[in-house]
Amino acid sequence: AGVGAYFLSTSKSTPATKPSSDISDSTDKASSNSSTNSNTSSNGQGQTDEPTSTKCQNSDIKVISSAIDQGGGAAGSTYASVVLMNKSTKLCTFYGFPGVSLVTSADAQIGQPADRTSDTAKQFSLAPKASATFHLKFVQDNFTAGTCKDGATQLKIYLPDQQDYLLTSTPHSQWCPGFTVSPLAATS
């Protein structure tokens, strides 16, 4: 796959099992769609303000690019950044790792879901029109013949605490052992 930006193709709902790399404390669909950060503050008069934000939902988020990073790859690896934007009109909160798999245009998974890096996830709020990023590491075909799998055309992305997924074109078409994902972070 060449260098360049790839853009959102669709979002889907599925009863299929999420990749094992999704955040471990995920909830069922009904509770994740109505979950709210319970952080409230008192105004000093016995009343509380509205919650500061809610968890980011798939309906709040748009994938705006997934592209190979320039000049950051180690020998035998390629790195890519996936940038998400809050398209809603409200503040929302992320915490954790996205679940990411490589899939074909027929939604068949190629290889295993991305493993989590050892990086620590940090909670952050995402304002309307602000962006968040996560990074992928694709290991090159340095393995015994048949170990790596070709044919991926899309990234299937499960946001933390979500059971539905987003699809976007992948900047890399091959899965090999060592495929990893970093935690979500606010784009600086």
Side-chain angles (χ1 to χ4, degrees):
V3 176
Y6 296 83
F7 300 99
L8 174 70
S9 55
T10 189
S11 67
K12 300 241 180 178
S13 175
T14 181
T17 305
K18 294 187 293 182
S20 62
S21 63
D22 200 14
I23 191 161
S24 60
D25 65 344
S26 59
T27 56
D28 66 30
K29 185 174 182 177
S31 64
S32 70
N33 287 339
S34 63
S35 62
T36 305
N37 183 344
S38 62
N39 293 337
T40 57
S41 58
S42 172
N43 64 10
Q45 299 174 352
Q47 298 173 344
T48 57
D49 297 329
E50 290 297 312
T52 54
S53 66
T54 60
K55 291 180 182 177
C56 296
Q57 307 293 312
N58 284 2
S59 59
D60 299 330
I61 301 300
K62 176 181 177 182
V63 179
I64 57 174
S65 71
S66 62
I68 299 295
D69 294 343
Q70 299 295 313
S77 298
T78 301
Y79 293 88
S81 296
V82 178
V83 181
L84 311 172
M85 182 184 75
N86 181 352
K87 67 180 184 178
S88 78
T89 58
K90 65 185 190 309
L91 187 71
C92 68
T93 303
F94 271 127
Y95 173 75
F97 289 78
V100 180
S101 295
L102 292 164
V103 296
T104 66
S105 58
D107 202 27
Q109 185 170 310
I110 303 290
Q112 297 298 310
D115 291 321
R116 294 176 180 182
T117 63
S118 60
D119 299 327
T120 302
K122 296 179 179 154
Q123 182 171 318
F124 64 95
S125 294
L126 197 60
K129 307 289 186 234
S131 60
T133 303
F134 64 89
H135 303 281
L136 299 170
K137 179 175 104 175
F138 297 95
V139 177
Q140 304 300 317
D141 192 2
N142 299 336
F143 299 95
T144 306
T147 301
C148 297
K149 312 288 185 214
D150 289 312
T153 59
Q154 300 177 96
L155 293 172
K156 183 182 269 190
I157 304 166
Y158 289 88
L159 299 176
D161 295 322
Q162 299 295 296
Q163 293 187 357
D164 296 339
Y165 58 88
L166 303 171
L167 286 175
T168 192
S169 297
T170 180
H172 200 275
S173 63
Q174 184 181 59
W175 173 89
C176 290
F179 175 47
T180 61
V181 60
S182 72
L184 282 157
T187 304
S188 43

